[in-house]
Amino acid sequence: MRSFTGPLTLSAFGLLTVLASSPVLADDAATKTTEKINVLNEAQLTVPAAFKKSPPKSRIVEAEFVATDGKGDDEVTARVYGMASGGGLEPNIARWKGQFSESPEGAFKREAMKLGDWQVVIVDHAGSFSERMGGGPFAGGRMVKRKDYAMTGAILQSPKGRLYFVKMIGPAKVVRANRDDFVKMIKSLDAS
């Protein structure tokens, strides 16, 4: 049996070292592309790796992702999406609140903050969610009542006064499990 020594061994070892440290082969989160949400062409949000990109369910939605809880047959999902909007801060918060009924005591919460020159309001609500199936948020379509649902939503108001919504809505346990990642995404707002 022949033993390989000398330059061939070093070269083979060097090649293996290069290949093993290659970002193509490494299973490292740093090598994965980080998703961003473009906010009104004025800023961007960094999407948590736990949120998986999904095709938008509506033409007015600009970015959509799926948040999960559980594994395999026990996996449950919530929808996370972003879109430009109008109509004013308070009317939109009232509309979001009105989409829920049979809410437990203290289910509605609101937190305002300033991120740079942006005004941000994060809203939490839970209960039975009235989801419009087809027709969009302001037109036609049948209503379906989703029991034990929750929402964490954010309204971002740019320094120019324009509004952008980011919402996570789905079964309450999924929204609760992913709320910290959602808030972290909102606080990643970068207008530089």
Side-chain angles (χ1 to χ4, degrees):
M1 181 171 199
R2 239 177 124 162
S3 171
F4 292 100
T5 59
L8 180 61
T9 304
L10 184 57
S11 295
F13 177 74
L15 178 61
L16 288 175
T17 301
V18 169
L19 288 174
S21 64
S22 169
V24 173
L25 297 178
D27 187 18
D28 178 22
T31 64
K32 296 178 183 173
T33 303
T34 303
E35 293 285 345
K36 303 280 186 181
I37 296 176
N38 176 352
V39 181
L40 304 170
N41 290 323
E42 295 179 45
Q44 63 183 8
L45 299 171
T46 300
V47 179
F51 295 176
K52 304 302 176 208
K53 193 159 182 69
S54 176
K57 292 187 188 304
S58 167
R59 289 178 294 173
I60 62 173
V61 170
E62 297 170 6
E64 186 154 338
F65 299 85
V66 174
T68 62
D69 186 46
K71 298 284 184 203
D73 291 343
D74 295 327
E75 183 178 73
V76 185
T77 63
R79 183 176 179 212
V80 180
Y81 62 94
M83 59 188 273
S85 193
L89 183 70
E90 295 307 324
N92 280 295
I93 291 172
R95 182 174 55 81
W96 289 1
K97 189 175 182 182
Q99 292 172 329
F100 285 88
S101 61
E102 303 165 6
S103 299
E105 185 74 28
F108 179 79
K109 295 180 181 138
R110 172 185 177 149
E111 175 187 1
M113 65 185 73
K114 193 161 169 104
L115 299 173
D117 293 334
W118 290 66
Q119 297 293 328
V120 177
V121 177
I122 296 177
V123 175
D124 291 286
H125 206 15
S128 292
F129 176 67
S130 295
E131 182 176 13
R132 186 169 302 280
M133 305 300 289
F138 304 107
R142 65 184 173 92
M143 287 293 224
V144 176
K145 188 181 264 190
R146 309 274 186 205
K147 291 192 176 287
D148 197 24
Y149 256 49
M151 174 200 72
T152 298
I155 300 177
L156 295 83
Q157 184 173 1
S158 80
K160 296 176 183 176
R162 297 169 59 203
L163 300 180
Y164 193 87
F165 297 166
V166 184
K167 288 174 78 174
M168 175 172 56
I169 191 150
K173 76 176 214 154
V174 182
V175 173
R176 283 191 302 267
N178 288 280
R179 186 186 187 280
D180 288 347
D181 278 342
F182 181 90
V183 172
K184 182 178 176 184
M185 175 177 66
I186 298 306
K187 289 182 176 181
S188 77
L189 184 71
D190 181 5
S192 57

